[in-house]
Amino acid sequence: MKVLLVEDEQKIAGFVSAGFKEQGFAVEHCDNGIDGYDRASTGVYDAIVLDIMLPGRDGLSILKSLRKAGNVTPIILLTARNELDDRIDGLSLGADDYLAKPFFVEELIARVQALLRRVSGERQNVLTVGELRLDRIGREVTWHSQSVDLTGREFNLVEYLMRSPGRVFTRTQILEHVWDYDFDPSTNVVDVCIQRIRKKMSSIGAGADSESPIESVRGVGYRFRKLP
Protein backbone atom coordinates (compact mmCIF):
# COMPACT_ATOMS: atom_id res chain seq x y z
CA MET A 1 0.00 0.00 0.00
CA LYS A 2 1.30 3.44 -0.94
CA VAL A 3 0.33 6.65 0.84
CA LEU A 4 1.00 10.23 -0.23
CA LEU A 5 1.50 12.51 2.77
CA VAL A 6 1.20 16.25 2.08
CA GLU A 7 2.22 17.99 5.31
CA ASP A 8 4.47 21.01 5.83
CA GLU A 9 5.20 20.49 9.53
CA GLN A 10 8.32 18.34 9.51
CA LYS A 11 7.83 16.97 13.03
CA ILE A 12 4.32 15.74 12.21
CA ALA A 13 5.45 14.39 8.84
CA GLY A 14 8.25 12.49 10.54
CA PHE A 15 6.16 10.60 13.08
CA VAL A 16 3.31 10.00 10.63
CA SER A 17 5.69 8.57 8.02
CA ALA A 18 7.39 6.37 10.61
CA GLY A 19 4.05 5.09 11.87
CA PHE A 20 2.81 4.14 8.41
CA LYS A 21 6.11 2.45 7.52
CA GLU A 22 5.92 0.35 10.69
CA GLN A 23 2.57 -0.92 9.44
CA GLY A 24 4.01 -1.89 6.06
CA PHE A 25 2.94 1.17 4.05
CA ALA A 26 5.19 2.89 1.53
CA VAL A 27 5.09 6.64 2.19
CA GLU A 28 5.84 9.50 -0.18
CA HIS A 29 6.04 12.90 1.49
CA CYS A 30 6.01 16.47 0.21
CA ASP A 31 5.82 19.67 2.23
CA ASN A 32 3.90 22.12 0.03
CA GLY A 33 0.64 22.28 -1.86
CA ILE A 34 2.08 22.81 -5.32
CA ASP A 35 4.21 19.66 -5.24
CA GLY A 36 1.44 17.85 -3.41
CA TYR A 37 -1.08 18.48 -6.16
CA ASP A 38 1.43 17.54 -8.86
CA ARG A 39 2.21 14.21 -7.22
CA ALA A 40 -1.41 13.45 -6.36
CA SER A 41 -2.56 14.14 -9.92
CA THR A 42 0.19 12.21 -11.71
CA GLY A 43 1.06 9.39 -9.31
CA VAL A 44 -0.85 6.31 -8.20
CA TYR A 45 -1.58 6.02 -4.47
CA ASP A 46 -3.86 3.91 -2.32
CA ALA A 47 -4.62 6.90 -0.07
CA ILE A 48 -3.69 10.56 0.39
CA VAL A 49 -3.24 12.24 3.78
CA LEU A 50 -3.65 15.94 3.04
CA ASP A 51 -3.12 18.89 5.37
CA ILE A 52 -5.46 21.83 4.76
CA MET A 53 -3.04 24.62 5.71
CA LEU A 54 -0.15 24.34 3.25
CA PRO A 55 2.30 26.75 1.65
CA GLY A 56 1.87 27.29 -2.08
CA ARG A 57 -1.62 25.84 -2.36
CA ASP A 58 -4.14 24.92 0.32
CA GLY A 59 -5.48 21.43 0.83
CA LEU A 60 -9.11 22.22 0.00
CA SER A 61 -8.06 23.63 -3.38
CA ILE A 62 -6.04 20.48 -4.06
CA LEU A 63 -8.97 18.28 -3.04
CA LYS A 64 -11.41 20.19 -5.24
CA SER A 65 -9.17 19.98 -8.30
CA LEU A 66 -8.47 16.27 -7.84
CA ARG A 67 -12.14 15.37 -7.56
CA LYS A 68 -13.06 17.58 -10.52
CA ALA A 69 -10.47 15.75 -12.60
CA GLY A 70 -12.00 12.40 -11.66
CA ASN A 71 -9.32 11.31 -9.21
CA VAL A 72 -11.05 8.92 -6.77
CA THR A 73 -8.09 8.18 -4.49
CA PRO A 74 -9.28 8.10 -0.86
CA ILE A 75 -8.31 11.34 0.92
CA ILE A 76 -8.13 12.11 4.64
CA LEU A 77 -7.78 15.78 5.58
CA LEU A 78 -5.60 17.02 8.43
CA THR A 79 -5.90 20.46 9.96
CA ALA A 80 -5.11 22.38 13.10
CA ARG A 81 -8.54 23.95 12.79
CA ASN A 82 -11.50 22.04 14.13
CA GLU A 83 -14.29 24.34 13.02
CA LEU A 84 -17.52 22.80 11.77
CA ASP A 85 -17.35 24.81 8.53
CA ASP A 86 -13.94 23.33 7.71
CA ARG A 87 -15.23 19.81 8.18
CA ILE A 88 -18.31 20.48 6.08
CA ASP A 89 -16.29 22.13 3.31
CA GLY A 90 -13.84 19.26 3.16
CA LEU A 91 -16.45 16.53 3.11
CA SER A 92 -18.62 18.36 0.59
CA LEU A 93 -15.64 18.68 -1.74
CA GLY A 94 -15.11 14.92 -1.68
CA ALA A 95 -12.89 14.14 1.30
CA ASP A 96 -13.41 10.66 2.72
CA ASP A 97 -12.50 11.49 6.31
CA TYR A 98 -11.26 14.30 8.52
CA LEU A 99 -8.87 14.35 11.48
CA ALA A 100 -8.05 17.42 13.55
CA LYS A 101 -4.64 18.11 15.08
CA PRO A 102 -3.34 17.13 17.52
CA PHE A 103 -3.98 13.45 16.87
CA PHE A 104 -2.53 10.04 17.61
CA VAL A 105 -0.77 8.53 14.59
CA GLU A 106 -2.31 5.17 15.52
CA GLU A 107 -5.78 6.65 15.01
CA LEU A 108 -4.81 8.11 11.63
CA ILE A 109 -3.45 4.77 10.45
CA ALA A 110 -6.55 2.97 11.72
CA ARG A 111 -8.77 5.42 9.84
CA VAL A 112 -6.78 4.94 6.63
CA GLN A 113 -6.99 1.17 6.95
CA ALA A 114 -10.74 1.32 7.61
CA LEU A 115 -11.19 3.67 4.68
CA LEU A 116 -9.28 1.38 2.33
CA ARG A 117 -11.42 -1.56 3.38
CA ARG A 118 -14.58 0.45 2.77
CA VAL A 119 -13.67 1.99 -0.57
CA SER A 120 -12.30 -1.29 -1.91
CA GLY A 121 -15.93 -2.02 -2.68
CA GLU A 122 -18.10 0.46 -4.51
CA ARG A 123 -15.68 3.31 -5.13
CA GLN A 124 -13.00 1.13 -6.69
CA ASN A 125 -15.51 -0.93 -8.61
CA VAL A 126 -17.29 2.01 -10.22
CA LEU A 127 -15.05 4.56 -11.92
CA THR A 128 -16.47 7.83 -13.21
CA VAL A 129 -14.57 10.50 -15.13
CA GLY A 130 -16.61 13.15 -16.87
CA GLU A 131 -19.33 11.47 -18.92
CA LEU A 132 -17.67 8.05 -18.84
CA ARG A 133 -18.71 5.50 -16.22
CA LEU A 134 -17.12 2.08 -15.84
CA ASP A 135 -18.59 -0.65 -13.63
CA ARG A 136 -15.92 -3.24 -12.89
CA ILE A 137 -18.36 -5.72 -11.36
CA GLY A 138 -21.06 -5.51 -14.01
CA ARG A 139 -18.42 -5.10 -16.75
CA GLU A 140 -20.43 -2.23 -18.21
CA VAL A 141 -19.29 1.07 -19.71
CA THR A 142 -21.54 4.04 -20.41
CA TRP A 143 -20.59 7.19 -22.33
CA HIS A 144 -22.98 10.15 -22.17
CA SER A 145 -25.41 7.78 -20.38
CA GLN A 146 -25.40 5.35 -23.31
CA SER A 147 -23.97 1.85 -23.20
CA VAL A 148 -20.71 1.17 -25.05
CA ASP A 149 -20.32 -2.39 -26.26
CA LEU A 150 -16.68 -3.25 -25.52
CA THR A 151 -14.85 -6.55 -25.80
CA GLY A 152 -13.10 -7.87 -22.71
CA ARG A 153 -9.73 -6.59 -23.88
CA GLU A 154 -11.14 -3.16 -24.74
CA PHE A 155 -12.81 -2.97 -21.33
CA ASN A 156 -9.55 -3.82 -19.54
CA LEU A 157 -7.65 -1.20 -21.53
CA VAL A 158 -10.17 1.55 -20.76
CA GLU A 159 -10.13 0.60 -17.07
CA TYR A 160 -6.33 0.66 -16.94
CA LEU A 161 -6.10 4.16 -18.41
CA MET A 162 -9.15 5.46 -16.56
CA ARG A 163 -7.78 4.65 -13.11
CA SER A 164 -5.10 7.35 -13.53
CA PRO A 165 -6.49 10.29 -15.54
CA GLY A 166 -3.72 12.45 -16.97
CA ARG A 167 -1.00 9.85 -16.52
CA VAL A 168 0.79 8.78 -19.70
CA PHE A 169 1.22 5.04 -20.23
CA THR A 170 3.65 3.63 -22.77
CA ARG A 171 2.65 0.89 -25.19
CA THR A 172 4.98 -1.40 -23.26
CA GLN A 173 3.10 -0.78 -20.00
CA ILE A 174 -0.27 -1.27 -21.69
CA LEU A 175 0.81 -4.52 -23.33
CA GLU A 176 2.20 -5.91 -20.10
CA HIS A 177 -0.93 -5.00 -18.12
CA VAL A 178 -3.74 -5.63 -20.59
CA TRP A 179 -2.28 -8.37 -22.80
CA ASP A 180 0.09 -9.81 -20.20
CA TYR A 181 3.04 -10.16 -22.52
CA ASP A 182 6.28 -8.33 -23.29
CA PHE A 183 6.51 -5.56 -25.82
CA ASP A 184 7.06 -6.54 -29.42
CA PRO A 185 8.17 -3.52 -31.49
CA SER A 186 6.50 -5.00 -34.56
CA THR A 187 3.02 -5.21 -33.05
CA ASN A 188 0.38 -2.52 -33.26
CA VAL A 189 -2.31 -4.27 -31.22
CA VAL A 190 -2.51 -1.41 -28.71
CA ASP A 191 -3.08 1.18 -31.43
CA VAL A 192 -5.66 -0.98 -33.19
CA CYS A 193 -7.55 -1.64 -29.96
CA ILE A 194 -7.67 2.04 -29.08
CA GLN A 195 -8.86 2.92 -32.57
CA ARG A 196 -11.77 0.47 -32.13
CA ILE A 197 -12.66 1.99 -28.75
CA ARG A 198 -12.58 5.52 -30.17
CA LYS A 199 -14.78 4.50 -33.08
CA LYS A 200 -17.38 2.99 -30.76
CA MET A 201 -17.42 6.08 -28.54
CA SER A 202 -17.50 8.56 -31.44
CA SER A 203 -20.92 7.29 -32.47
CA ILE A 204 -22.35 8.35 -29.10
CA GLY A 205 -23.11 11.92 -28.07
CA ALA A 206 -22.50 15.09 -30.02
CA GLY A 207 -20.23 18.11 -29.88
CA ALA A 208 -16.80 18.60 -28.32
CA ASP A 209 -17.77 16.80 -25.09
CA SER A 210 -18.28 13.56 -27.01
CA GLU A 211 -14.65 13.45 -28.14
CA SER A 212 -12.89 10.27 -27.06
CA PRO A 213 -11.23 10.74 -23.66
CA ILE A 214 -8.26 8.60 -24.73
CA GLU A 215 -5.49 10.84 -26.00
CA SER A 216 -2.40 9.94 -28.01
CA VAL A 217 0.89 11.28 -26.68
CA ARG A 218 3.20 11.40 -29.64
CA GLY A 219 6.28 9.25 -29.31
CA VAL A 220 5.22 7.96 -25.88
CA GLY A 221 1.84 6.25 -25.68
CA TYR A 222 -1.64 7.06 -24.43
CA ARG A 223 -3.44 8.70 -21.53
CA PHE A 224 -6.97 9.22 -20.30
CA ARG A 225 -7.51 12.95 -20.47
CA LYS A 226 -8.74 14.80 -17.42
CA LEU A 227 -12.32 15.66 -18.21
CA PRO A 228 -14.05 18.68 -16.64
Side-chain angles (χ1 to χ4, degrees):
M1 293 288 187
K2 188 175 182 180
V3 173
L4 173 64
L5 172 63
V6 188
E7 169 60 66
D8 64 315
E9 296 186 46
Q10 293 301 319
K11 184 177 181 179
I12 293 177
F15 74 70
V16 169
S17 296
F20 273 110
K21 290 175 181 178
E22 287 178 1
Q23 295 299 316
F25 285 83
V27 182
E28 186 173 324
H29 169 244
C30 60
D31 61 4
N32 67 85
I34 295 174
D35 290 342
Y37 176 72
D38 182 61
R39 295 192 195 189
S41 59
T42 59
V44 178
Y45 304 95
D46 295 289
I48 298 172
V49 178
L50 178 63
D51 190 19
I52 288 183
M53 299 295 291
L54 292 166
R57 184 172 184 178
D58 69 89
L60 292 180
S61 171
I62 294 172
L63 170 64
K64 183 177 180 179
S65 295
L66 290 174
R67 293 304 190 229
K68 185 177 181 180
N71 189 312
V72 297
T73 305
I75 296 176
I76 289 184
L77 293 177
L78 299 179
T79 182
R81 299 177 299 181
N82 196 23
E83 298 295 330
L84 177 61
D85 287 347
D86 294 326
R87 297 198 298 271
I88 292 174
D89 287 344
L91 295 173
S92 65
L93 287 173
D96 297 276
D97 204 349
Y98 185 105
L99 191 59
K101 300 175 183 176
F103 58 84
F104 292 103
V105 67
E106 293 84 359
E107 180 183 1
L108 174 60
I109 294 171
R111 289 193 182 208
V112 169
Q113 291 172 329
L115 180 59
L116 291 175
R117 288 193 296 269
R118 186 170 79 241
V119 301
S120 64
E122 181 177 352
R123 173 165 285 185
Q124 292 188 3
N125 289 325
V126 178
L127 305 178
T128 302
V129 180
E131 294 295 330
L132 187 67
R133 182 180 186 275
L134 182 145
D135 183 344
R136 297 177 63 203
I137 299 299
R139 303 286 291 182
E140 296 177 344
V141 173
T142 57
W143 174 238
H144 286 269
S145 301
Q146 298 185 50
S147 178
V148 183
D149 185 17
L150 299 180
T151 66
R153 193 80 70 184
E154 292 166 353
F155 181 94
N156 291 342
L157 196 157
V158 171
E159 178 190 352
Y160 183 53
L161 298 179
M162 193 177 178
R163 289 184 65 83
S164 303
R167 179 180 177 183
V168 179
F169 292 92
T170 65
R171 290 173 176 81
T172 300
Q173 290 174 312
I174 296 172
L175 274 171
E176 291 176 348
H177 184 88
V178 178
W179 276 265
D180 197 27
Y181 60 72
D182 295 334
F183 180 67
D184 178 355
S186 66
T187 186
N188 66 342
V189 294
V190 173
D191 306 280
V192 170
C193 188
I194 287 179
Q195 288 173 9
R196 290 200 306 264
I197 295 169
R198 286 173 168 169
K199 185 176 181 180
K200 291 178 179 181
M201 297 181 72
S202 67
S203 63
I204 296 175
D209 288 343
S210 66
E211 180 183 357
S212 170
I214 300 176
E215 292 183 317
S216 302
V217 180
R218 188 173 181 178
V220 183
Y222 295 94
R223 68 182 170 198
F224 197 97
R225 64 188 176 95
K226 296 181 179 180
L227 300 174

